[in-house]
Amino acid sequence: MVKQLEIWLPAPPSVNNMYRSGRGKVYRSTGYKRWQQEADIAFLTAGGLRPWRSYPAVVEIDLFPGPQYRSRDLDNLVKPLLDFLVYREVLKDDNTEHIRRVVVQFQPERLQSNQVRLRIRAG
């Protein structure tokens, strides 16, 4: 059995920038749609991942900022990344039955790439 999964994705937009509203509707923002496409390319280029089967899980998120990084709230990284893992069927769901802990770390001293490294392991 796989003890840990790891995937690198581009850093997502802030939760505050995921959706827009207009004409009585809420829709995905252009930036969020662009990030989803970039994340799909990174995911598929890496060969995708098999579904995680050991629940509950722990998800670790490391942010490696790029050269044009601006300060942001780390908790705003979590939702788009977990939603992406569910969308790509790596995780069954992102509720507390399936995920017991999420750890988010800022890594300013390493790899200037504006990427996130996701690690999933049994929790």
Side-chain angles (χ1 to χ4, degrees):
M1 173 172 240
V2 177
K3 295 182 190 249
Q4 177 174 290
L5 292 177
E6 179 176 299
I7 185 167
W8 287 82
L9 296 174
S14 167
V15 144
N16 300 325
N17 297 319
M18 286 175 61
Y19 296 98
R20 296 287 177 245
S21 61
R23 298 183 184 176
K25 295 183 180 182
V26 176
Y27 55 93
R28 291 180 297 155
S29 70
T30 302
Y32 183 45
K33 287 192 262 187
R34 185 175 336 125
W35 173 78
Q36 285 179 314
Q37 291 171 341
E38 292 170 2
D40 267 340
I41 290 168
F43 181 83
L44 296 171
T45 300
L49 292 174
R50 293 196 172 140
W52 186 252
R53 303 216 186 277
S54 184
Y55 292 102
V58 172
V59 178
E60 297 174 351
I61 302 168
D62 291 305
L63 170 62
F64 299 91
Q68 297 173 359
Y69 175 80
R70 3 182 275 286
S71 183
R72 62 192 289 184
D73 293 341
L74 287 179
D75 59 334
N76 283 339
L77 290 173
V78 176
K79 180 166 181 45
L81 293 169
L82 294 182
D83 285 355
F84 182 80
L85 292 174
V86 171
Y87 159 73
R88 274 296 176 186
E89 299 180 349
V90 175
L91 295 173
K92 276 187 187 176
D93 205 334
D94 57 358
N95 62 29
T96 54
E97 181 181 337
H98 294 89
I99 298 175
R100 289 289 163 86
R101 185 170 42 151
V102 177
V103 179
V104 184
Q105 299 180 88
F106 180 59
Q107 304 283 0
E109 67 283 350
R110 302 186 44 209
L111 192 67
Q112 300 294 307
S113 64
N114 201 33
Q115 290 186 311
V116 292
R117 176 179 55 202
L118 296 164
R119 291 184 184 149
I120 304 166
R121 61 182 172 81

